[in-house]
Amino acid sequence: MFRFANPQLLWLLCALPVLIGLYIYAVHHRRKQLARFGLPETLSPLMPEVSRGRRVLKHLLFFTAVVFLILAAARPQFGSKLREEKSQGVEMMLLVDVSNSMLAEDFEPNRLERTKYAINRLFEGLKQDRVGLVIFAGEPKVQLPITSDYRMAKAFAKKMSPSQIELQGTAVGKALEQGLLSFSSETEGSHSRVMILITDGENHEDDAIAVARRAAEMGIRIFTIGIGTPEGAPIEIDSEFIKDEKGDMVVSKLNEEMLQQIADITGGVYVRSTKQSIGLEEVVKSINDMEQTEMSMLRFEEFNEQYQYLLGIALMLFFLEFALLDRRNPLLAHLNIFREERHIE
């Protein structure tokens, strides 16, 4: 695996055309200045040591050295090898409601954005557990399979949006079924599988309770988090509030009864979100008390730095540029190394 540790420094390469432009301008300006004293063919015999080829080569060496220096500063790296790492933890599938009702603004700025913020905080605090992500509305979608790569998990969680699910609605049962299928075979038969369901609980599609009973038979605990308020809030999309068939404004309310039942059936915990806390911290505390399973994870052992080679080339080019004189060496003039005619710049 190849990467740059400081990729933002590669933007400095954009300055190279500016440096080349300044060089071309300086050459043009020098010629204009010399033209004030006479014609080039007249001045050339008077300045036999002037070497146009040397000046061009010096600047070429300088510009090439700058390129290698910037690449070295960006720190190119290669992943050396994969290492299998054993750890004790649980497999945690997050099932996140991304239906339009999650855009209700009884939480600032809305329910979904607060959920994404809380999930990001959760991933920052994990160390040995595996996580996966399923988003759902009228149908579920695996956003991220089970992984121990928390950086990738945060990136996928950040992208969650109602637009990712074509069929709107809130099919909690289908989401739970997808969650049951998303665990790895390594933890099958263990008691270290959990699902965290985050939704406003407005299930309009299926029998989520029946799926919860099946999860309990498989030894999977479901922790539910109800986000929203019992009073509810209107749903605004593109600066317009959603209305029903009668033209009345749709108000999305928290349905706690179903979420409480799902948690009770599977031995999990139900938490109602508040404006201060989504509830993930409370859930994780309960999960930490669960039985943990030994799991293996593949990680890049380390990234080998490659910048030193590029830095060495850059320093060598700078040295050659410094050592190369602007003017011909009288002792080597007869060799005519650059095969050049005499020109005045």
Side-chain angles (χ1 to χ4, degrees):
M1 181 178 178
F2 176 80
R3 72 171 188 177
F4 284 101
N6 303 317
Q8 66 277 8
L9 295 181
L10 294 176
W11 286 103
L12 293 175
L13 292 173
C14 296
L16 194 62
V18 178
L19 293 176
I20 295 174
L22 290 174
Y23 166 68
I24 294 173
Y25 172 78
V27 170
H28 179 70
H29 181 71
R30 188 184 302 116
R31 287 177 178 173
K32 287 180 64 177
Q33 292 293 101
L34 286 173
R36 296 169 56 189
F37 298 97
L39 296 174
E41 52 268 26
T42 303
L43 295 174
S44 183
L46 300 177
M47 304 175 66
E49 75 281 4
V50 172
S51 173
R52 179 182 180 184
R54 289 171 180 269
R55 285 182 175 173
V56 171
L57 180 57
K58 279 178 67 69
H59 283 88
L60 182 61
L61 290 172
F62 176 78
F63 295 141
T64 306
V66 168
V67 171
F68 278 98
L69 187 62
I70 293 172
L71 293 176
R75 291 176 56 199
Q77 299 174 329
F78 282 100
S80 57
K81 61 182 180 180
L82 289 172
R83 174 170 58 91
E84 186 177 28
E85 184 178 276
K86 298 291 185 180
S87 65
Q88 294 285 334
V90 301
E91 285 193 341
M92 184 187 309
M93 287 300 304
L94 276 77
L95 315 179
V96 182
D97 186 351
V98 295
S99 62
N100 287 333
S101 62
M102 289 291 285
L103 299 178
E105 297 180 356
D106 44 2
F107 282 69
E108 294 289 342
N110 60 49
R111 297 173 182 176
L112 183 57
E113 290 301 318
R114 280 295 305 278
T115 299
K116 288 159 69 172
Y117 173 77
I119 290 175
N120 185 72
R121 291 285 302 275
L122 167 67
F123 290 158
E124 287 178 351
L126 295 180
K127 294 181 179 179
Q128 296 182 325
D129 301 314
R130 289 178 179 168
V131 295
L133 185 60
V134 172
I135 59 175
F136 69 95
E139 58 186 6
K141 175 184 177 182
V142 178
Q143 180 84 336
L144 178 70
I146 284 287
T147 181
S148 56
D149 189 339
Y150 302 137
R151 184 167 56 180
M152 182 186 297
K154 288 194 289 185
F156 276 91
K158 188 177 180 180
K159 296 178 181 178
M160 293 188 300
S161 166
S163 62
Q164 292 179 290
I165 306 293
E166 294 184 5
L167 182 62
Q168 278 300 311
T170 308
V172 175
K174 290 181 181 179
L176 293 175
E177 286 180 346
Q178 184 63 65
L180 296 180
L181 298 173
S182 300
F183 291 100
S184 72
S185 58
E186 189 176 355
T187 56
E188 187 174 358
S190 70
H191 295 280
S192 59
R193 291 177 167 185
V194 298
M195 287 193 285
I196 302 177
L197 173 65
I198 305 176
T199 179
D200 52 28
E202 287 195 321
N203 187 48
H204 306 295
E205 308 292 334
D206 47 27
D207 188 357
I209 302 302
V211 184
R213 292 194 178 98
R214 198 181 339 147
E217 293 171 0
M218 298 170 63
I220 297 174
R221 297 172 67 179
I222 302 176
F223 295 82
T224 57
I225 296 177
I227 181 165
T229 58
E231 301 78 24
I235 305 168
E236 185 178 0
I237 300 178
D238 297 330
S239 302
E240 293 186 5
F241 290 101
I242 296 180
K243 296 182 180 180
D244 59 21
E245 298 175 353
K246 299 179 181 179
D248 297 327
M249 189 177 297
V250 174
V251 176
S252 174
K253 299 180 180 180
L254 174 63
N255 178 7
E256 294 186 283
E257 183 180 352
M258 181 192 68
L259 298 178
Q260 183 70 65
Q261 281 185 276
I262 291 173
D264 290 343
I265 290 170
T266 61
V269 174
Y270 166 69
V271 177
R272 182 204 283 188
S273 297
T274 66
K275 295 185 178 181
Q276 289 73 38
S277 171
I278 292 296
L280 276 173
E281 293 181 359
E282 293 88 333
V283 168
V284 170
K285 287 179 182 178
S286 299
I287 292 175
N288 288 338
D289 295 331
M290 289 178 51
E291 175 184 326
Q292 298 187 344
T293 299
E294 184 178 88
M295 298 180 292
S296 60
M297 293 179 282
L298 290 177
R299 298 184 185 273
F300 278 104
E301 188 171 32
E302 62 182 0
F303 282 94
N304 288 331
E305 297 282 355
Q306 306 295 319
Y307 74 90
Q308 59 270 24
Y309 304 109
L310 300 178
L311 181 60
I313 294 173
L315 293 176
M316 181 182 66
L317 292 173
F318 277 127
F319 175 77
L320 290 175
E321 188 273 339
F322 175 77
L324 185 65
L325 300 176
D326 284 339
R327 301 175 182 273
R328 294 186 182 91
N329 188 328
L331 298 177
L332 301 176
H334 67 282
L335 298 178
N336 196 15
I337 298 173
F338 296 96
R339 297 288 188 267
E340 60 185 0
E341 298 178 1
R342 293 176 183 175
H343 296 281
I344 301 297
E345 294 185 0

